[in-house]
Amino acid sequence: MSGRKQFDVGVALDQAMRVFWQRGYADASLDALGSATGLGRGSLYGAFGTKDALFGQCLDRYARIYGAQYEQALTAHPGEPVRAVEAFFDVILSRIADPSVPVGCLIAQSAAQSPTLKEENSTQVRGLLDLQRQRVRTALADSSADPRTLDELATFVVAVNQSLAVLSRAGASDAELRSVARLACATVADTLSRAASADAAQG
């Protein structure tokens, strides 16, 4: 029908998202984006606006897809913060091992390029990292550890997540990545255990 877009916007966003994910913002040329989506520059601009606007939409789409999985993992074990963190890393490692998607993480890739991003995109990336930290922090809340310790642990877990993405892009094996995740979970468990012991001693 005349006037209607002759392509699936969601599919085009997924294809563009993979280009940014694989190449990073700086190296995701309009030609590469056009080739992946099957759209000419005019159609890309008409559907999504500028490259920065398209990038922002791809970040949002990535966050919706994987953020929902993180949320599900982190809330599936109420009262078991260590188990929740283990489930969180399981989701991350499954994504990294998935051969149907690029290696690494779009947010980690974008965070590394923050100095080259437009301010609104850089702020968006930081906001997505903060949202991830807030989700982890909520999962840790059912603990006797003090708020500062829980804040630090949440930041630590997110930092490990980003490190896993970087290591995977550098060719680290699944076994190596799972070893890092296990050590991170052990650190969380040990920190919470020491906090509980200190709380009991004071009681």
Side-chain angles (χ1 to χ4, degrees), residues 55 59 110 114-115 117-127:
F55 179 57
L59 285 172
S110 303
S114 283
L117 301 179
K118 292 290 181 65
E119 182 177 355
E120 59 268 28
N121 291 141
S122 182
T123 299
Q124 184 180 9
V125 170
R126 180 64 209 178

Side-chain angles (χ1 to χ4, degrees), residues 58-71:
C58 289
L59 285 172
D60 283 339
R61 191 168 184 84
Y62 182 92
R64 283 196 301 273
I65 293 169
Y66 293 104
Q69 295 179 26
Y70 297 155
E71 185 76 22

Side-chain angles (χ1 to χ4, degrees), residues 19-196:
V19 175
F20 285 120
W21 188 345
Q22 179 65 45
R23 299 188 176 207
Y25 173 84
D27 292 331
S29 66
L30 289 175
D31 286 342
L33 291 165
S35 177
T37 60
L39 301 174
R41 292 193 180 199
S43 295
L44 276 173
Y45 284 129
F48 303 110
T50 65
K51 177 184 173 182
D52 297 306
L54 174 58
F55 179 57
Q57 292 176 63
C58 289
L59 285 172
D60 283 339
R61 191 168 184 84
Y62 182 92
R64 283 196 301 273
I65 293 169
Y66 293 104
Q69 295 179 26
Y70 297 155
E71 185 76 22
Q72 183 177 6
L74 288 165
T75 58
H77 305 280
E80 299 180 89
V82 177
R83 184 68 191 92
V85 172
E86 288 173 347
F88 173 67
F89 282 128
D90 282 343
V91 170
I92 292 161
L93 292 169
S94 293
R95 185 205 67 222
I96 289 173
D98 185 353
S100 69
V101 298
V103 177
C105 166
L106 176 60
I107 296 174
Q109 171 88 311
S110 303
Q113 294 190 337
S114 283
T116 68
L117 301 179
K118 292 290 181 65
E119 182 177 355
E120 59 268 28
N121 291 141
S122 182
T123 299
Q124 184 180 9
V125 170
R126 180 64 209 178
L128 293 174
L129 287 170
D130 286 343
L131 177 58
Q132 192 175 108
R133 191 194 67 80
Q134 290 165 17
R135 286 188 174 120
V136 175
R137 176 64 173 80
T138 298
L140 296 173
D142 191 10
S143 162
S144 58
D146 63 273
R148 179 178 176 180
T149 296
L150 296 181
D151 287 344
E152 291 174 346
L153 273 179
T155 300
F156 166 72
V157 169
V158 171
V160 173
N161 174 25
Q162 300 307 301
S163 298
L164 290 171
V166 173
L167 288 171
S168 70
R169 287 186 71 89
S173 68
D174 181 70
E176 290 171 323
L177 298 177
R178 289 188 180 278
S179 177
V180 172
R182 281 196 302 271
L183 286 172
C185 290
T187 298
V188 172
D190 180 63
T191 302
L192 294 180
S193 177
R194 284 189 284 106

